[in-house]
Amino acid sequence: MKRIGLIGVAITLLMFVNAPATFAQNDQQQQDQEKERGKSGKHGKDDKGKGKENKEDKGKDNGKSGLGQVQTPQAQAVQPQRVQPQAQPQPQPVQQQQAQRHHAVQQQQPTVQQQQAVQQQQAVQQQQAVQQQQILRNQQAAQQQQMQARQQQQALRDQQALRISQREQQQRIVEQQQRTVTYQRNLDEQLRIAQQQNVQLEQNRRSQFQIQQQYAERLRQQQQQVQNDRNYDYRNDAYFNTPWSYRYKVGNTYRKTNRYGADLLQQAVNYGYQEGFYTGDADRRDRWGYHYSDSFAYRDANYGYRGRYVSQSDYNYYFRLGFRKGYDDGYYRRSRYGRRDNNGFTVLKVVLGGILKLEVIR
């Protein structure tokens, strides 16, 4: 019995001695399995079969090594959990990458057919642009021809309008000669009146006396010019060959004239304003009352007239209208109706248009 008991104790001791070795062998087998699984994850799909075989072999080995051995709960707790490795993307081959890049470049670059189509479209567009330019040039040339034709027709009409009959031209010249003779006689009479009035002004109106003396001197110069016009060549004066183009109003009566007569009427208003300004300023300096009609220049109203283009009465009418405007500005020391310039005085355009009221008739 003692022998049997010793044998049982010996067997029990052997089991405790072999247990650590068995645990160590199992741990080594688990580490080898994890290494093999990591290698199989790197090699990809082709190595999956090998992984299965290794698992089967490891199962067999485990079966052999664990045959007759009982794993305790403590040994099972010591074993670590197995982590499945993630499959990593395999790098593409160099040839495949080059093929993909070449395909992308080909898609970006137009084909030869596409380039030819673009070139043909550009050529068609250029041809159309050239045709449009040619059409535009033709239209411009046609418009220029039409304009030249209209200008020629207008020039012909103007020439025909400028040509008045010889009978009408002769009639104007005769009227002008009679007008000049009458005006010369009136000048002589006005100069005598001015001399008589100067004697009265010299006593108590020194400023007005000086202004009237200057006006009388300008009339004498004008008288000399009229005398020199006795042999005036009326046929070479454009006024007598130009048809009427304006009309103006004197009182309730309309008159006709051309641009030469219109310029003379404008001169009458400006000269009247100038003499009126001098007269009004002189009355203010003499502390004289506001009496523009007492002035010799206002009653005469012939300065600047040489007996041509319009009648003397029409010239006097517009001279006096300008005189009244100038007298107001001179007497009250202002520039409401006109202004001074290098040539004397000029009536403002707005005022001048309101006085003359010229109307175009052609």
Side-chain angles (χ1 to χ4, degrees):
M1 294 296 292
K2 293 181 179 180
R3 185 178 296 177
I4 295 171
L6 291 174
I7 294 171
V9 172
I11 293 170
T12 302
L13 290 174
L14 288 173
M15 290 178 64
F16 280 105
V17 171
N18 292 329
T22 303
F23 290 144
Q25 185 177 1
N26 292 332
D27 291 338
Q28 184 65 33
Q29 291 177 356
Q30 291 177 357
Q31 290 178 1
D32 293 339
Q33 290 176 359
E34 290 178 357
K35 287 182 181 181
E36 290 178 358
R37 289 175 182 173
K39 291 180 181 181
S40 62
K42 292 180 182 180
H43 288 291
K45 297 179 180 179
D46 296 337
D47 295 338
K48 288 182 179 179
K50 294 180 179 180
K52 293 180 180 179
E53 295 177 357
N54 290 331
K55 290 181 181 179
E56 294 176 357
D57 295 339
K58 289 180 181 179
K60 293 177 180 181
D61 294 336
N62 290 332
K64 292 178 180 181
S65 60
L67 184 63
Q69 296 180 0
V70 178
Q71 294 183 357
T72 63
Q74 292 82 3
Q76 292 178 357
V78 172
Q79 294 181 359
Q81 296 180 356
R82 298 176 182 178
V83 179
Q84 294 292 335
Q86 296 180 355
Q88 298 181 357
Q90 296 182 358
Q92 296 180 355
V94 177
Q95 295 180 352
Q96 186 177 2
Q97 294 179 356
Q98 292 179 353
Q100 291 178 355
R101 287 197 296 269
H102 181 69
H103 181 67
V105 171
Q106 285 183 347
Q107 289 181 348
Q108 293 178 358
Q109 294 180 353
T111 61
V112 177
Q113 294 180 354
Q114 291 176 348
Q115 292 178 355
Q116 291 178 353
V118 172
Q119 292 177 356
Q120 291 177 357
Q121 185 177 4
Q122 291 178 352
V124 171
Q125 291 177 354
Q126 292 178 356
Q127 186 177 2
Q128 292 177 352
V130 172
Q131 292 177 355
Q132 291 178 356
Q133 291 179 357
Q134 184 64 32
I135 293 172
L136 181 60
R137 285 195 292 268
N138 294 335
Q139 291 177 353
Q140 291 177 352
Q143 291 177 357
Q144 290 179 357
Q145 292 178 357
Q146 293 177 358
M147 185 180 297
Q148 291 177 357
R150 287 195 297 267
Q151 290 176 353
Q152 292 176 357
Q153 293 177 358
Q154 184 63 35
L156 181 60
R157 287 195 296 267
D158 293 341
Q159 292 178 359
Q160 293 176 353
L162 290 174
R163 295 175 184 175
I164 62 176
S165 63
Q166 294 181 354
R167 181 179 179 180
E168 183 178 357
Q169 180 182 6
Q170 185 62 32
Q171 184 178 357
R172 289 188 189 182
I173 293 174
V174 171
E175 291 177 354
Q176 182 62 59
Q177 290 173 346
Q178 294 175 356
R179 188 182 299 157
T180 303
V181 173
T182 303
Y183 177 62
Q184 186 173 0
R185 289 198 301 265
N186 290 338
L187 273 178
D188 297 339
E189 182 65 22
Q190 289 299 108
L191 285 173
R192 286 194 297 267
I193 295 173
Q195 187 175 1
Q196 294 174 2
Q197 191 171 2
N198 284 341
V199 175
Q200 299 175 0
L201 293 174
E202 189 176 3
Q203 297 177 2
N204 55 3
R205 298 175 63 183
R206 297 295 302 175
S207 299
Q208 192 63 248
F209 171 73
Q210 293 176 358
I211 294 299
Q212 187 161 316
Q213 273 191 327
Q214 295 173 4
Y215 182 83
E217 180 61 28
R218 287 193 288 272
L219 280 184
R220 278 190 287 268
Q221 295 176 2
Q222 189 169 298
Q223 183 184 33
Q224 185 64 37
Q225 293 175 354
V226 173
Q227 291 176 356
N228 295 334
D229 289 343
R230 291 177 179 176
N231 298 323
Y232 186 78
D233 188 4
Y234 295 104
R235 295 188 179 277
N236 290 329
D237 192 332
Y239 167 81
F240 301 98
N241 297 321
T242 304
W244 308 134
S245 55
Y246 297 96
R247 75 171 186 172
Y248 59 95
K249 193 175 183 180
V250 177
N252 296 324
T253 306
Y254 283 99
R255 306 278 198 275
K256 291 182 180 180
T257 186
N258 51 30
R259 62 187 181 91
Y260 301 99
D263 292 342
L264 184 63
L265 294 176
Q266 180 176 342
Q267 175 185 301
V269 177
N270 286 325
Y271 279 174
Y273 178 88
Q274 173 180 289
E275 298 302 325
F277 189 92
Y278 291 149
T279 303
D281 182 66
D283 284 346
R284 179 187 56 80
R285 287 185 283 111
D286 290 337
R287 297 183 179 179
W288 198 258
Y290 183 93
H291 298 291
Y292 63 87
S293 59
D294 292 342
S295 170
F296 171 76
Y298 179 81
R299 294 195 301 269
D300 176 69
N302 284 314
Y303 173 62
Y305 182 68
R306 298 177 63 177
R308 290 200 294 268
Y309 301 164
V310 298
S311 65
Q312 181 181 352
S313 61
D314 292 353
Y315 187 92
N316 298 154
Y317 176 80
Y318 284 103
F319 183 95
R320 293 188 179 106
L321 291 178
F323 187 94
R324 294 182 60 178
K325 301 295 184 183
Y327 188 91
D328 288 346
D329 284 351
Y331 193 85
Y332 295 110
R333 299 185 65 181
R334 64 189 183 187
S335 299
R336 182 177 180 181
Y337 301 110
R339 57 183 175 82
R340 188 190 298 268
D341 57 17
N342 296 330
N343 297 325
F345 290 84
T346 303
V347 178
L348 298 178
K349 291 184 178 180
V350 176
V351 179
L352 183 63
I355 293 174
L356 287 178
K357 297 180 181 178
L358 292 172
E359 298 180 10
V360 180
I361 61 177
R362 62 173 299 275

